[in-house]
């Protein structure tokens, strides 16, 4: 194998592929990146882990086609550290020789015959707008659990019915749902799949927000998978087995009232309140005509109280919430206002986005928040 590639293109592709290499691989060869150069000038880089694999294709000047496996994170570090000049790669015996300007690096190859084949993607199931997909995933995954003993709750559920796609995640204390549309290859297609939320977030972020993302879903057999591909880059994640709970039923069918608050004002106030609350403490929101009073802290500790303008529809109400959940929910939307709909101080409230103070809210993204019971308050 002998080829020349542009520094920035190669370094970026290697860094992108290396991000999915496991920190503690189950087999030594899984720490590697597979480089395959074709005579037509295409250079494919791939990494593999049983849970996720990455594949990127770049262009290069290939003098001799060939394939080699080298330590992935080390290659990524080398590529980023090299001067911004064309990079020559050549296999010499069992080593990969890397020359860039006056720099010369030699890397020992890894046994290619022990490396698993990267999974082939099935036919494209549908195509989604990259920016919309990245936003949707970001909004939902923060509500997933971090408890690895609960495989269903560390997952995000992707529900597909024709042109409609819903993403859902919950940790039992909050529930996020985002609805969007896509272009399915088959308008009769339907599926309900589970993907580890952290994996889904990494993939959506890594593919970026520009252009279209092709999605391929394979639910056949025990080892189901979902693949995402855009701009010559492909990530494949293993599906998680199990039946996701019917979480949509948790949203109240009707509410007794709602409040509308300017999002950035409430978000900034929550950030200030978090400075005085202890872990697992609550922030209390008391709604009355024209305002919401936000209070945090109690006893002899630091306390804060802040009144913000708010439009209240319904009776006065006071509710307490986990401040980090509130902050993450407020950060997940881009609208100027948010609406908090409620039925009772001890029952879940629903946060939605609202473009104007007196307008309607959007239900594309909904966040259900369980209130915290505050004793003596």
């Amino acid at each position: 194998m002998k080829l020349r590639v542009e520094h920035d293109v190669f370094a970026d592709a290697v860094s992108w592929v290396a991000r999915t290499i496991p920190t503690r691989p189950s087999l030594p060869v899984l720490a590697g990146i597979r480089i395959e150069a074709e005579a037509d000038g295409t250079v494919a880089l791939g990494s593999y882990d049983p849970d996720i694999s990455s594949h990127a294709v770049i262009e290069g000047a290939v003098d001799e086609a060939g394939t080699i496996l080298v330590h992935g994170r080390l290659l990524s570090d080398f590529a980023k550290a090299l001067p911004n000049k064309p990079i020559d790669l050549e296999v010499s015996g069992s080593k990969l020789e890397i020359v860039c300007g006056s720099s010369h690096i030699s890397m020992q190859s890894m046994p290619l015959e022990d490396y698993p084949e990267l999974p082939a993607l099935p036919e494209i199931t549908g195509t989604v707008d990259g920016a919309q997909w990245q936003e949707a995933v970001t909004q939902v995954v923060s509500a997933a659990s971090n408890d690895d003993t609960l495989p269903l709750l560390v997952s995000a559920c992707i529900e597909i019915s024709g042109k409609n796609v819903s993403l859902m995640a919950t940790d039992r204390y909050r529930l996020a749902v985002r609805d969007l549309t896509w272009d399915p290859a088959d308008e009769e297609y339907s599926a309900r799949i589970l993907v580890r939320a952290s994996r889904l977030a990494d993939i959506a972020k890594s593919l970026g927000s520009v252009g279209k993302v092709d999605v391929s879903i394979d639910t056949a057999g025990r080892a189901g998978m979902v693949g995402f591909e855009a701009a010559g880059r492909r990530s494949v994640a293993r599906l998680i087995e199990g039946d996701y709970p019917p979480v949509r039923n948790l949203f109240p069918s009707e509410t007794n009232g709602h409040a509308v608050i300017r999002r950035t004002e409430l978000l900034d106030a929550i950030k200030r309140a978090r400075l005085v609350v202890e872990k697992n403490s609550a922030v209390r929101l008391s709604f009355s005509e024209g305002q919401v009073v936000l209070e945090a802290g109690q006893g002899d500790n630091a306390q804060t109280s802040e009144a913000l303008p708010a439009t209240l529809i319904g009776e006065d109400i006071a509710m307490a919430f986990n401040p980090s959940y509130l902050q993450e929910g407020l950060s997940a939307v881009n609208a100027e206002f948010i609406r908090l709909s409620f039925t009772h101080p001890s029952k879940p409230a629903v946060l939605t986005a609202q473009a104007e103070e007196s307008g309607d809210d959007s239900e594309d993204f909904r966040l259900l928040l369980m209130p915290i019971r505050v004793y003596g308050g």
Side-chain angles (χ1 to χ4, degrees):
M1 186 179 82
K2 185 178 181 181
L3 67 147
R4 168 171 284 196
V5 289
E6 292 300 319
H7 174 274
D8 288 350
V9 174
F10 182 72
D12 186 49
V14 170
S15 176
W16 187 83
V17 171
R19 85 197 196 288
T20 54
I21 294 175
T23 305
R24 297 180 180 86
S26 56
L27 298 172
V29 291
L30 297 185
I33 280 181
R34 185 177 187 266
I35 305 173
E36 183 176 7
E38 300 282 1
D40 62 2
T42 60
V43 181
L45 301 100
S47 68
Y48 175 86
D49 176 76
D51 287 331
I52 188 169
S53 64
S54 296
H55 182 267
V57 176
I58 60 174
E59 298 295 322
V62 178
D63 293 331
E64 294 178 16
T67 306
I68 193 170
L69 181 71
V70 293
H71 194 282
R73 296 193 189 278
L74 189 57
L75 178 64
S76 178
D77 291 340
F78 282 155
K80 286 184 285 189
L82 289 171
N84 191 12
K85 296 180 179 180
I87 299 174
D88 292 306
L89 306 172
E90 184 174 1
V91 175
S92 177
S94 63
K95 293 186 176 182
L96 175 65
E97 307 293 342
I98 305 172
V99 178
C100 181
S102 60
S103 299
H104 181 194
I105 297 168
S106 182
M107 295 186 68
Q108 182 66 43
S109 67
M110 304 172 76
L112 190 62
E113 62 274 12
D114 296 339
Y115 198 71
E117 284 294 324
L118 297 181
L121 282 181
E123 293 294 320
I124 294 173
T125 309
T127 303
V128 66
D129 178 82
Q132 191 178 36
W133 178 251
Q134 185 179 15
E135 179 188 59
V137 171
T138 302
Q139 287 178 325
V140 167
V141 295
S142 64
S145 174
N146 294 318
D147 185 352
D148 284 328
T149 65
L150 302 170
L152 292 183
L153 299 189
V154 300
S155 308
C157 177
I158 304 175
E159 194 173 67
I160 303 169
S161 178
K163 293 185 175 182
N164 299 312
V165 179
S166 294
L167 282 79
M168 296 168 275
T170 181
D171 59 4
R172 295 179 298 182
Y173 305 104
R174 52 185 166 164
L175 162 63
V177 176
R178 170 63 193 268
D179 297 322
L180 66 156
T181 59
W182 75 334
D183 296 321
D186 176 5
E187 293 194 4
E188 300 299 318
Y189 181 83
S190 64
R192 202 167 195 251
I193 62 174
L194 304 182
V195 186
R196 188 177 181 91
S198 58
R199 297 289 194 202
L200 192 64
D202 289 343
I203 293 172
K205 183 179 179 181
S206 68
L207 290 178
S209 59
V210 179
K212 299 292 184 179
V213 175
D214 292 330
V215 183
S216 301
I217 300 172
D218 181 5
T219 56
R222 291 179 59 85
M225 63 181 183
V226 58
F228 301 89
E229 187 168 11
R233 296 182 175 183
R234 180 176 78 229
S235 288
V236 180
R238 181 172 62 88
L239 301 182
I240 293 178
E241 295 182 60
D243 295 322
Y244 205 70
V247 293
R248 284 186 180 274
N249 297 339
L250 298 175
F251 285 98
S253 56
E254 57 184 32
T255 59
N256 294 334
H258 67 263
V260 178
I261 315 107
R262 194 175 295 274
R263 185 184 69 89
T264 54
E265 290 183 358
L266 182 57
L267 179 59
D268 290 343
I270 293 292
K271 291 177 181 178
R272 289 188 286 269
R274 290 191 66 183
L275 299 176
V276 304
V277 297
E278 298 178 356
K279 186 178 181 180
N280 299 324
S281 295
V283 169
R284 183 183 175 92
L285 302 179
S286 300
F287 295 95
S288 58
E289 179 57 38
Q291 71 172 11
V292 55
V293 177
L294 185 148
E295 299 169 288
Q298 57 184 353
D300 297 328
N301 299 320
Q303 301 177 45
T304 181
S305 178
E306 188 168 350
L308 303 174
T311 300
L312 176 65
I313 305 298
E315 299 294 325
D316 293 2
I317 190 171
M319 305 183 77
F321 297 99
N322 180 309
S324 63
Y325 293 174
L326 269 178
Q327 182 176 332
E328 289 174 358
L330 293 168
S331 300
V333 297
N334 297 318
E336 186 170 355
F337 295 89
I338 64 100
R339 175 184 292 197
L340 194 67
S341 303
F342 36 75
T343 57
H344 187 272
S346 63
K347 293 184 178 181
V350 181
L351 187 151
T352 52
Q354 190 161 313
E356 299 177 354
E357 187 173 14
S358 59
D360 295 327
D361 64 330
S362 169
E363 292 197 347
D364 287 349
F365 172 68
R366 293 180 292 162
L367 179 66
L368 188 78
L369 291 166
M370 289 293 296
I372 297 174
R373 181 170 295 181
V374 179
Y375 295 97

